[in-house]
Amino acid sequence: MLTRREFVAAGVVGAGAAASGVGLAELTADRVAFANEASAGILLKPQRLDHSLLPGTMTRGMMSYGVEGPAPVLRMKQDEPFAAELLNGLEEATTIHWHGLRIPNAVDGVPFLTQPYVYTNESFRYHFTPPDAGTFWYHPHCNTLEQMGKGLTGLLIVAEPEDPGFDQDLPLNLRDFRLGDDGQFIRQFKPRNAARGGTLGTVMTTNWQVEPRYVVPTGGLLRLRLAATDVTRIYRIKIDGADAQVIALDANPVPRPFPLTVYPLGAGQRMDLAIRLPNREGQVLRVETESGAGPRLLAELVTLGVDFNRSLKELRPLPPNPVPEPDLANATTIPFTFSWSAEKSGVESICGTLGYTFWAINRVPWPGDVPDPGGPLAVLKQGQSYIFRLINETPNSHPIHLHGMSFKLLRSNQRKLMPLVTDTALLLPQEQMEVALVADNPGDWVFHCHVIEHQKSGLTGYVKVV
Ligand code: C2O
Ligand code: CU
Ligand code: CU
């Protein structure tokens, strides 16, 4: 049996990468403990690779930010500068977007709106200082159905200045791939699904593995970070075998931690759980998503070693992120209506088109990443508070995401909302929700549904902060 010290020494604790078998290449979480300590910056090179997702098959033409395995987990420290060089090793244009980070517009990674395309063998330098701690992720913002669908989604973890006191920190990148039985990619979407809830993948993975098993310390305190980086799926997360506390959602600590029963996680959303692991060695916990057909396994956690005998009370509560509090008494309300749009074909663009328009915001379908995407949905005055009224006129759910600024959930016509601070709100069918923010970050910020088929067939726009 391993003692706590041996557990740490064996690299089992803390190194999510080692335990998860995440193969890290040019940049690795192993080689660069905290990416923002590498002063010259790190290299992120999107490229094709072959990788075995299904036993006995090699999936050809996957995409990652490394030469083997999934995109590296980037670990940064809050309030410390970070720099990365994107070197495009793909045969098509790309960019990198840092989902949920409140950073300057110039490094937001949206073609035309904030930066030029990065073509094959070209590079682009991103540098910023993450103002908030928590679980984020990074992905391209060009030809996203294809590039994310083939693998370009990675987790980004910004550490709190003071360690909260966990024994292990385990990031789980949850996503599907659309593969045939031979392990090869099949068509990424079906138009009739794109006009509805979106097209689901055929193989569910966690860190690019099917139902992986991780070793966790007996009686220890685990921080489990779940990120729904799939292009479509809304997970319904539950844990079987131990009590889990939800401590943060979309990188922001929840007002009061609460026990997890089943919680929805839409495309783009994240959840941090604090789990007190069982006292006996060899106990198995199941991380599951609830589906119509019953629970489906995402990953298993198995306790190993002597009993750490920790208590959740020993954890330091997560400090709230420094997101400005909206002034509701003086806020201007802006409606955003999400609806179907008359079907017409999409506009060709370097960053890809699905060839269809199914959706619209305020009746205007987004034309795609083109030189003239049209005017903003709204112009916001820097420093002012706004209430966004999100009106879902459709029978589908939409994880609605804003770049560059976080917002606070106020109310819904369907349910009671926690006053969460977030970057992605899961809007239920026919729901009307109000959220509030301070427009404190100048620039053009994309506002879109994170079901990528919706995003790419009209459900996108932007707001301008001046
Ligand atoms: Cu996850 Cu427009 O972003
Ligand atoms: Cu984003
Ligand atoms: Cu949507």
Side-chain angles (χ1 to χ4, degrees):
M1 291 219 294
L2 295 176
T3 64
R4 180 160 184 204
R5 178 167 301 143
E6 286 159 353
F7 205 91
V8 176
V12 180
V13 171
S20 66
V22 177
L24 304 170
E26 268 120 357
L27 163 79
T28 73
D30 303 339
R31 282 162 55 195
V32 185
F34 282 99
N36 46 11
E37 277 165 11
S39 53
I42 54 153
L43 179 70
L44 289 172
K45 185 179 179 190
Q47 55 200 299
R48 294 270 184 180
L49 71 159
D50 298 344
H51 184 89
S52 179
L53 288 170
L54 286 178
T57 68
M58 263 296 186
T59 301
R60 290 188 295 275
M62 295 189 68
M63 294 181 182
S64 182
Y65 292 103
V67 290
E68 55 164 341
V73 175
L74 299 181
R75 287 185 183 267
M76 304 176 189
K77 287 181 181 162
Q78 187 177 12
D79 292 327
E80 291 188 17
F82 163 83
E85 185 90 1
L86 161 64
L87 172 60
N88 188 0
L90 299 172
E91 64 281 16
E92 59 183 69
T94 194
T95 61
I96 300 181
H97 168 63
W98 317 88
H99 181 122
L101 294 186
R102 298 184 302 125
I103 52 181
N105 201 238
V107 289
D108 192 47
V110 179
F112 287 114
L113 226 45
T114 76
Q115 70 159 89
Y117 297 126
V118 181
Y119 290 99
T120 307
N121 293 327
E122 286 184 356
S123 60
F124 188 89
R125 192 169 168 79
Y126 295 94
H127 54 92
F128 53 80
T129 301
D132 301 322
T135 307
F136 302 87
W137 61 297
Y138 63 107
H139 61 80
H141 227 278
C142 182
N143 202 16
T144 41
L145 191 61
E146 167 93 3
Q147 292 184 13
M148 290 167 61
K150 296 222 158 133
L152 288 177
T153 67
L155 266 69
L156 191 166
I157 293 171
V158 182
E160 296 81 16
E162 281 196 276
D163 185 274
F166 289 95
D167 299 302
Q168 186 176 6
D169 185 319
L170 181 60
L172 302 182
N173 183 347
L174 307 177
R175 51 163 307 152
D176 298 353
F177 291 95
R178 277 183 61 75
L179 306 178
D181 292 340
D182 59 355
Q184 305 313 313
F185 284 107
I186 56 175
R187 193 167 177 218
Q188 193 65 50
F189 78 103
K190 296 183 183 150
R192 59 170 277 121
N193 294 342
R196 296 175 172 79
T199 310
L200 289 171
T202 61
V203 178
M204 291 178 77
T205 69
T206 298
N207 296 338
W208 283 26
Q209 292 169 279
V210 178
E211 300 178 1
R213 185 173 251 233
Y214 298 96
V215 165
V216 291
T218 305
L221 295 174
L222 171 68
R223 182 174 190 167
L224 195 62
R225 301 178 189 258
L226 302 147
T229 79
D230 188 50
V231 293
T232 309
R233 184 180 294 279
I234 298 168
Y235 294 84
R236 297 183 58 78
I237 301 294
K238 57 185 284 224
I239 304 281
D240 194 56
D243 293 334
Q245 294 278 319
V246 179
I247 54 170
L249 290 165
D250 306 324
N252 291 286
V254 295
R256 182 169 303 146
F258 60 94
L260 173 69
T261 46
V262 179
Y263 199 88
L265 216 53
Q269 296 190 298
R270 296 85 66 205
M271 177 194 284
D272 286 38
L273 299 173
I275 302 177
R276 163 55 156 84
L277 296 159
N279 286 101
R280 279 199 296 124
E281 195 175 30
Q283 296 292 111
V284 178
L285 282 68
R286 293 166 59 90
V287 183
E288 297 172 333
T289 181
E290 196 63 67
S291 73
R296 293 184 57 183
L297 184 63
L298 296 169
E300 281 183 331
L301 313 174
V302 191
T303 54
L304 177 74
V306 294
D307 184 4
F308 282 20
N309 204 19
R310 298 286 311 274
S311 156
L312 283 172
K313 293 198 192 72
E314 294 162 31
L315 290 175
R316 209 185 298 275
L318 300 177
N321 284 319
V323 176
E325 185 66 32
D327 172 6
L328 297 180
N330 294 298
T332 306
T333 299
I334 306 173
F336 295 92
T337 302
F338 306 98
S339 65
W340 273 325
S341 143
E343 189 167 337
K344 60 175 180 154
S345 56
V347 181
E348 273 312 323
S349 120
I350 297 285
C351 283
T353 171
L354 301 194
Y356 300 89
T357 298
F358 295 123
W359 307 91
I361 304 182
N362 291 348
R363 313 290 166 208
V364 182
W366 176 255
D369 301 298
V370 293
D372 179 17
L377 293 164
V379 179
L380 314 181
K381 277 217 196 68
Q382 193 178 347
Q384 294 255 16
S385 293
Y386 293 89
I387 294 173
F388 285 11
R389 181 172 295 145
L390 312 179
I391 304 160
N392 184 0
E393 288 188 350
T394 80
N396 306 102
S397 296
H398 302 285
I400 300 294
H401 171 52
L402 177 64
H403 286 208
M405 291 171 287
S406 299
F407 50 87
K408 187 175 187 174
L409 306 186
L410 298 180
R411 55 193 149 256
S412 149
N413 66 344
Q414 290 189 9
R415 52 183 165 146
K416 197 161 159 36
L417 297 174
M418 274 176 280
L420 285 176
V421 175
T422 179
D423 50 69
T424 311
L426 183 59
L427 202 56
L428 301 178
Q430 313 293 349
E431 186 174 30
Q432 295 195 17
M433 193 190 273
E434 287 188 342
V435 306
L437 57 78
V438 180
D440 63 345
N441 202 355
D444 291 334
W445 300 106
V446 190
F447 189 45
H448 65 84
C449 177
H450 227 289
V451 171
I452 306 298
E453 287 157 89
H454 296 176
Q455 176 191 358
K456 295 290 284 181
S457 63
L459 240 179
T460 302
Y462 68 98
V463 298
K464 184 185 271 301
V465 178
V466 288

